[in-house]
Amino acid sequence: MRILRTDDSRFTDLPDFPYPPRFTDVGTGAPLRLHHVDHGPAAASPVVMLHGEHGWSYLYRHMIPLLADAGLRVLAPDLIGFGRSDKPASQRDYSFERHLGWLEQWLVKLDLKRITLVCQNRTSLLALALVMRQPQRFSRIITANAVIPSTKEDRQPSMSCLLQAFARYSPWFPVPQLIQLGTTRPLSRAELAAFDAPFPDDAHKAGARSFARVLRHHHQEELNRQRLWRFLENWQKPFITCFSDSDPGTRGGHIRLQRRVPGALGQPHVTLKGGHFLQEDAPDSFARVIIDACRPSLAA
């Protein structure tokens, strides 16, 4: 496996992102460095915020200080292939199982407990699979525009195949512009450059290009999806859904989750103003949902 590492110089002076890098070795054989932000009181209950497709921990830059100021410890990892984490150079190096294993190793090595999990859209499949492996470490789940398919018909195969083919084969794969398509506010030139910082050239984009395939075609997908739904249908801890009012691709996804996950009953589910990335369009409101949900931990 050939490993690429984005030069540190590309991450200097990013707007609203003063956080020092922290790295954890994961994987077997030659280790991979997985980067994360860690901000807030070290003894406080952790909030793990997992970025969505194409993004990295920079996505949470407006929310991290709000949560830390409220007394929470915020951890925002970069998946392998994204952000400041190492990047295997071939799309064949990435699979759902490998992403899950790398993330689980990071979680266990940091020995995180009483976690509030915040996850985004299709990356929620990976995040919830992590909870299924380590349920005792998690206290609550907060999802942003998460749509968890339950049948083949739910997956809109034509559009999915089109997006997957574009990511895999297009000679032009503009990560910042893909982020911009998911927001209702215009990102500044500096913000667009920050989303592009992890990718000095196309060779560094194998993880980003492969992610749609990884999430939709992991080993025994149908069986794994059924196992995940069985797990969620027995999840009694708080489960909160946040959705956007201007993201047609995920509209209605909250209904199934609220009906089928016991922990969703009676929770303060919200629809916020914004597009696909609530972290960009409604960071204050989204942060408030997390802080309010964590009040029992803050009072303990």
Side-chain angles (χ1 to χ4, degrees), residues 71-231:
L72 295 165
R73 179 187 177 189
V74 186
L75 298 102
D78 295 335
L79 296 175
I80 293 296
F82 296 84
R84 301 189 75 154
S85 292
D86 284 350
K87 300 170 180 67
S90 172
Q91 292 190 45
R92 294 188 299 271
D93 294 329
Y94 297 88
S95 69
F96 189 93
E97 289 74 20
R98 280 184 171 176
H99 271 299
L100 182 56
W102 293 326
L103 198 56
E104 184 180 20
Q105 286 183 48
W106 171 79
L107 188 81
V108 171
K109 283 192 173 185
L110 270 61
D111 195 25
L112 299 176
K113 300 174 182 176
R114 310 185 315 278
I115 301 167
T116 296
L117 174 68
V118 179
C119 51
Q120 164 76 27
N121 188 240
R122 290 193 293 178
T123 312
S124 299
L125 286 168
L126 183 64
L128 295 174
L130 179 66
V131 178
M132 189 163 59
R133 281 197 177 183
Q134 298 281 338
Q136 73 284 356
R137 294 182 179 271
F138 293 86
S139 296
R140 63 186 60 82
I141 298 169
I142 301 174
T143 64
N145 288 323
V147 179
I148 311 301
S150 61
T151 67
K152 293 180 180 179
E153 289 73 19
D154 290 328
R155 292 180 289 163
Q156 298 178 325
S158 297
M159 180 58 69
S160 298
C161 290
L162 181 62
L163 293 174
Q164 181 181 318
F166 171 75
R168 189 170 186 180
Y169 299 114
S170 172
W172 182 59
F173 191 66
V175 171
Q177 286 73 22
L178 292 171
I179 298 290
Q180 180 67 90
L181 286 173
T183 70
T184 56
R185 75 170 182 89
L187 299 176
S188 70
R189 183 174 299 180
E191 289 173 319
L192 291 171
F195 280 115
D196 202 38
F199 310 113
D201 53 43
D202 194 68
H204 288 70
K205 296 180 182 179
R209 283 180 175 271
S210 69
F211 205 54
R213 170 187 59 81
V214 162
L215 291 179
R216 294 191 176 276
H217 294 285
H218 60 283
H219 180 59
Q220 294 182 319
E221 180 185 15
E222 186 70 30
L223 176 61
N224 286 338
R225 193 162 58 249
Q226 291 173 3
R227 288 181 58 231
L228 177 58
W229 271 112
R230 284 198 299 271
F231 175 77

Side-chain angles (χ1 to χ4, degrees), residues 4-12 14 21 23 33 56 83-87 196-201 204:
L4 303 177
R5 183 170 293 173
T6 305
D7 191 88
D8 287 343
S9 63
R10 291 185 61 86
F11 299 99
T12 58
L14 299 183
F23 296 99
R33 294 197 319 179
W56 59 293
R84 301 189 75 154
S85 292
D86 284 350
K87 300 170 180 67
D196 202 38
F199 310 113
D201 53 43
H204 288 70

Side-chain angles (χ1 to χ4, degrees), residues 249-264:
T250 62
R251 186 170 295 142
H254 64 290
I255 297 174
R256 181 185 296 124
L257 290 168
Q258 292 178 20
R259 288 177 177 175
R260 294 179 63 176
V261 181

Side-chain angles (χ1 to χ4, degrees), residues 25-51:
D25 287 343
V26 298
T28 57
L32 297 166
R33 294 197 319 179
L34 193 152
H35 167 261
H36 71 277
V37 171
D38 190 340
H39 188 60
S45 295
V47 178
V48 172
M49 303 196 296
L50 195 60
H51 64 80

